[in-house]
Every structure is written in structure tokens, then in C-alpha cells.
Amino acid sequence: MQGFGDAFGAAFALIARFDTDLVEIVGLSLRVTLSATLFACLIGFPLGALLAVGRFPLRGALTVLVNALMGLPPVVVGLVVYLMLSRAGPLGTLGLLYTPTAMIVAQTILVTPIIAALTRQIVADLDAEYHETLRSMGAGAGMRMRTLLWDGRFALTTAALAGMGRALAEVGAVMIVGGNIDHVTRVMTTAIALETSRGELALALGLGIVLMILSLALNSLAMGARVGAARMAHA
Amino acid sequence: MLRLVATGPGPDAAIRLEGVSLRRGGRMVLDGLHLAIPATGITAIMGPNGAGKSLSLRVMAGLIEPDSGSVLPSEAVRGRQEIALVFQKPVLLRRSVRANLRHALAVYGVPRRKRRERLGELLDFGRLAAIADAPARALSGGEQQRVAMVRALAACPKLLLLDEPTASLDPQATAAIETLILNTAASGTAVVIVTHDQGQAGRLADHIRFVHKGALTEAAPAAQFLLAQKSPEAQAYLAGKLLL
Ligand SMILES: Nc1ncnc2c1ncn2[C@@H]1O[C@H](COP(=O)(O)OP(=O)(O)OP(=O)(O)O)[C@@H](O)[C@H]1O
Ligand SMILES: [Mg+2]
């Protein structure tokens, strides 16, 4: 067990010299999280817009469901994806368990409801303002959705960043479906959990510091999106 | 569906409302409204606050189905894009002026290769070239009105409905909008303008329709109406005495 000060010193040293293990873990974290966020946006933006402006049966029920899924416990998502991908599961033949792909799948499931629910709210608010104008112009449903998504682009950027923040900080799901295998599926959060339990505080702290910095960066970007929207008087 | 297709609005009318009634908030806000809009020239709709002017424009534009009565558009204005409406408070998209107009052209189904040319024409027509790349919602009220009007014209409508387009504008901006209106009417589009301004009605209108409590109380040529009103409501309104 190292002393507290020593651990901090060693942590900063790891970051300063771009320690290969640390860089590899951070890199995988970003790859998994960015991919999951991208897929979640591709599903969540249109789904949210559809829930906001579409008129179809079960829309209300679907909206409630998406909102409820926002609070999904990551370990439950991990468990379900594990069962699907495990050898005996329905998708077992794909051999995806304990791969980064499995982690991307789990995080996509986790983040999609967040982005869809935020998108629904953003698009619904905008639609309240645009509805009559677009209708008077004779815009069809597809055109309306595209218009609202584009004009909500700054707020939607914030939604995507919120989803990404959640994915980046999440540990339960990626632990279960990734297995925290060294050099294969070890990401920042799972590594921190493991290294801390092993008493390897330097790497744990180093990763913790990087995670904090990334989280702050996401928040700054979100703020930047808001400022950008205001500056361009698009708000 | 009350929009009858079999019968038209009658000769020389672009659109006609026949006994149109609409209930809102437990009272009749349009109450058996008969309103014929001439197919040529500029028609001013006048009447006190809350008379139902804005609602009647929405009914004409097909945005509201009346509870009873008929909406009879002429053959010429029957397509979805033949009637364009500029709202009392226009809503512009969160984009540049140019992008707002480009969006309208896309909605109106103008083929991609023709959009650039049409865009240039519209910017010229509205004298918007200097502010084409400004974010539309950062513009002054008068500039926004001009953009909204040009956007409506992007549809090449046969009937243009304008709801108090100069209500909060300075004389110069008002003159700019009025010029646009006159040019539009001169190009053969029937124009309806809701206004509280007698001077404006005199400068622009060929016909006046006076609405009070959701019903028509007077219809007359503009010159005649502004000189002497027949209905006591219109007399009281122009004298500044009519309350709804
Ligand atoms: N959704 C609604 N619920 C209740 N009342 C309504 C609703 N929409 C319109 N009204 C009422 O209908 C009446 C007519 O409204 P409208 O907007 O057509 O008036 P207007 O003649 O355009 O008045 P103004 O000159 O002030 O613009 C008003 O008294 C208004 O309060
Ligand atoms: Mg009005």
C-alpha cells in the first residue's frame, strides 16, 4: 500500500509520460463510448423526433417506456446483454461476449433512451413554436422532423454530450459484458475498480484524473453549444 | 370536411366563407361569418381587437376547420400552396435569412437546380441581399416581417394573407412592406391584409371588409368605405369609440 502523496505523484507521472497502459485504456474507453454515443444518436434523434411529432397508436406508452428506460441500472443492462451474447444465448454464435463490440452494444442500449427522451422534449418544445408555420407551408411529416432536428441542433448536441458523459462514467454494464480483460476490454472505469481493489493506487488515480478531465471537457463543450446558440441568436 | 370542392366561391372571388362559425373557450368567436375575398386587388379586413380577424385568416388558410359553415376556395387557390399566410407574429427558423428561404423552397417542392436562381430573385424582391447571411431571428422586427413575407411568396401563391404585417414597424419599414404588398398585388396575386390603420387601408386597399364579433358588418370598395361607413359599428370603430 503506497502513501497517499506517493500515489498522486505516481499518478501524475503516469499521465505526464503517456504511460502505454494508461493510454491504451483511455483509448479503448473513448472508442467504446464514442461509438455507443454515435449509434445512440443515430437511433435516439429520429426516435425522439417521431415521439414528439408523430401521431400513431401507442405513442404515449412508448414515450413513458423511453422515459422509464432513462433510469436503467447499468448492471441490469449488462446482465441482459450478457444473457443474449453468452454461448447459450440467442446471439451466442456471434462470439461477441468479452469483446469491445459487446461493450458498445451495452452502452448503446444504456444511452439511447437518454438521447431519445431528451430529443423528444427538445423537439416537442420547438414544435410548439413551429407547428402552425410549418403546417401553413404544407410541410409533410418527414420535412417537419428534419426541420425540427436541424433547428434543435445546439440543444441536441447537449443531449448527445449528456449521453456520452453517462457512457463514459458507467462501470457495471461494461464490466459484465466486457469482462475487464487486460489489453482487450479494460476501460477506465473497470480498471479503476480493479486497480483500487488491488491497491495499485497510482494507475487508478491516474485514470481517475483523466476521467475527471474528460468529464469536465464534455461539460465545457455542452456549455459551448449553449453559448454558440445564444451568440448566433438561434435560441 | 367542410371545404367544398363541387361549388366555387362565385364569380370574381378568390375564396368565400359562408356562415362560418367557430366556438372557442365556450363562446362563438366566429359567428356565421360571410366573407368574400375578391380575386384581384388588395382586400383589407378591419375590425376591433378580438373580432375574429386572425381566426378568419386561419380558416381561409385551412389551418382551422370551422364548426359549421363552408369554406369555398376558387379553382385557382385550391392547391395546398396556392394560399400563403403570414402570421401576426411570424416565426422564422433558427437559421440565416438565406437558409430560411432555401428551406421554404424545399418545402414548396421547387426542384434543386432551380432553387439558387429563385433564391436570388426572392432576396432581390424583398431587398434582403444585405442581410441574407444574418441569423434570421436576430433581425429587427421590420426585417423579420419582410423575410416572413418573402418566404410566403416563395410558394408563388395565388392568394396571400397578411395579418397586421406592419403593426409594430416604423414608417420606413412600413413603407418597405407596403411597397412589397403593392408589387405582389400588381403581379396578379390576390392579397388580404388585416390592419387597424385607416391610412394604410387607404394607401393599399381596393376593398374593405369590416368584421365585428365574429361576423361581417360591412363590405364595400375602399374609397367608399373610408369616406363614409354604413354600419354603426364601423363608424364607431373609425371614430375610436367601438369596444368589443
Ligand atoms: N384557443 C382559443 N381559446 C379561447 N379563445 C380564443 C382562442 N383563439 C382565439 N380566441 C378568441 O377569439 C377571438 C378572436 O381572436 P382573433 O385572434 O381572431 O382576434 P383578432 O380580430 O385577430 O384581434 P386582434 O386585432 O387583437 O389581432 C378573441 O376574443 C380570442 O380571445
Ligand atoms: Mg389578430
Side-chain angles (χ1 to χ4, degrees):
Chain A
M1 185 73 176
Q2 300 143 299
F4 207 67
D6 295 345
F8 260 106
F12 279 112
L14 284 177
I15 297 171
R17 71 172 139 87
F18 289 101
D19 176 79
T20 45
D21 277 353
L22 181 128
V23 168
E24 188 187 344
I25 292 169
V26 172
L28 182 64
S29 270
L30 287 175
R31 194 183 120 203
V32 168
T33 299
L34 282 170
S35 307
T37 308
L38 178 70
F39 290 124
C41 287
L42 288 177
I43 305 167
F45 286 162
L47 176 62
L50 199 63
L51 290 175
V53 307
R55 294 285 171 270
F56 51 90
L58 294 180
R59 185 175 70 111
L62 203 55
T63 303
V64 171
L65 182 69
V66 167
N67 280 322
L69 291 181
M70 264 218 288
L72 269 180
V75 284
V76 174
V77 172
L79 178 60
V80 171
V81 174
Y82 177 91
L83 291 174
M84 301 291 283
L85 297 181
S86 67
R87 209 158 288 265
L91 301 175
T93 50
L94 297 176
L96 289 178
L97 198 62
Y98 303 136
T99 65
T101 307
M103 297 156 78
I104 292 171
V105 170
Q107 291 206 334
T108 301
I109 293 172
L110 209 58
V111 174
T112 298
I114 298 173
I115 293 184
L118 292 174
T119 299
R120 193 202 64 79
Q121 191 59 53
I122 291 163
V123 171
D125 289 348
L126 209 51
D127 189 47
E129 191 188 344
Y130 283 12
H131 181 77
E132 252 198 336
T133 298
L134 293 177
R135 216 159 82 79
S136 80
M137 294 170 79
M143 183 52 119
R144 263 175 72 203
M145 271 176 51
R146 265 189 290 156
T147 305
L148 293 165
L149 283 173
W150 179 249
D151 276 35
R153 58 198 177 277
F154 289 105
L156 292 174
T157 303
T158 313
L161 291 169
M164 190 172 155
R166 162 124 164 156
L168 199 61
E170 181 278 323
V171 49
V174 286
M175 182 77 96
I176 295 177
V177 305
N180 195 22
I181 301 168
D182 204 6
H183 301 303
V184 182
T185 56
R186 186 158 297 174
V187 291
M188 285 190 277
T189 52
T190 57
I192 290 171
L194 178 72
E195 301 302 332
T196 306
S197 70
R198 289 205 313 202
E200 290 287 341
L201 293 186
L203 185 53
L205 269 175
L207 289 167
I209 291 164
V210 173
L211 192 53
M212 288 286 297
I213 290 171
L214 287 173
S215 174
L216 276 173
L218 287 183
N219 277 298
S220 316
L221 282 176
M223 183 133 68
R226 273 191 291 274
V227 172
R231 168 142 2 108
M232 298 171 77
H234 283 187
Chain B
M1 193 68 184
L2 289 150
R3 186 176 281 263
L4 300 185
V5 178
T7 47
D12 309 327
I15 193 166
R16 196 151 58 93
L17 304 187
E18 222 168 58
V20 162
S21 294
L22 192 67
R23 179 178 285 280
R24 283 285 186 278
R27 64 197 176 90
M28 303 298 287
V29 290
L30 294 182
D31 197 358
L33 176 64
H34 291 274
L35 190 62
I37 302 299
T40 54
I42 301 175
T43 304
I45 298 182
M46 303 188 80
N49 293 138
K53 305 179 298 296
S54 295
L55 285 175
S56 64
L57 291 195
R58 283 187 167 83
V59 169
M60 283 190 250
L63 292 174
I64 301 180
E65 284 291 326
D67 298 328
S68 61
S70 316
V71 181
L72 307 169
S74 71
E75 196 74 56
V77 305
R78 228 160 256 170
R80 187 79 201 82
Q81 292 173 24
E82 305 303 345
I83 303 179
L85 169 59
V86 179
F87 294 94
Q88 198 164 346
K89 295 179 200 138
V91 175
L92 299 178
L93 304 184
R94 288 158 169 77
R95 315 168 180 210
S96 68
V97 171
R98 190 189 301 279
N100 264 275
L101 297 180
R102 208 184 291 123
H103 173 267
L105 291 171
V107 172
Y108 295 138
V110 175
R112 223 168 255 283
R113 61 202 153 70
K114 291 200 178 148
R115 280 185 209 160
R116 178 194 279 275
E117 191 191 333
R118 280 288 288 144
L119 191 64
E121 288 169 13
L122 290 169
L123 289 171
D124 284 348
F125 188 72
R127 287 188 284 157
L128 297 170
I131 50 170
D133 294 306
R137 296 161 73 96
L139 299 178
S140 79
E143 291 164 339
Q144 292 200 33
Q145 277 289 355
R146 232 153 72 211
V147 175
M149 201 169 136
V150 170
R151 177 175 67 179
L153 290 172
C156 299
K158 295 289 182 318
L159 174 61
L160 178 65
L161 309 173
L162 304 170
D163 200 347
E164 302 193 34
T166 63
S168 56
L169 306 188
D170 72 20
Q172 196 193 346
T174 301
I177 297 268
E178 288 185 358
T179 305
L180 267 180
I181 294 172
L182 288 168
N183 289 344
T184 304
S187 74
T189 298
V191 179
V192 175
I193 175 172
V194 172
T195 181
H196 290 290
D197 180 347
Q198 289 176 60
Q200 182 168 66
R203 289 190 296 277
L204 298 180
D206 303 295
H207 327 276
I208 305 276
R209 301 290 178 264
F210 189 83
V211 176
H212 183 230
K213 291 188 178 172
L216 186 82
T217 56
E218 194 164 345
Q224 182 187 321
F225 177 90
L226 292 169
L227 211 59
Q229 308 78 40
K230 289 205 183 81
S231 67
E233 292 88 352
Q235 285 167 8
Y237 170 80
L238 290 186
K241 288 178 195 150
L242 184 69
L243 295 174
L244 197 67

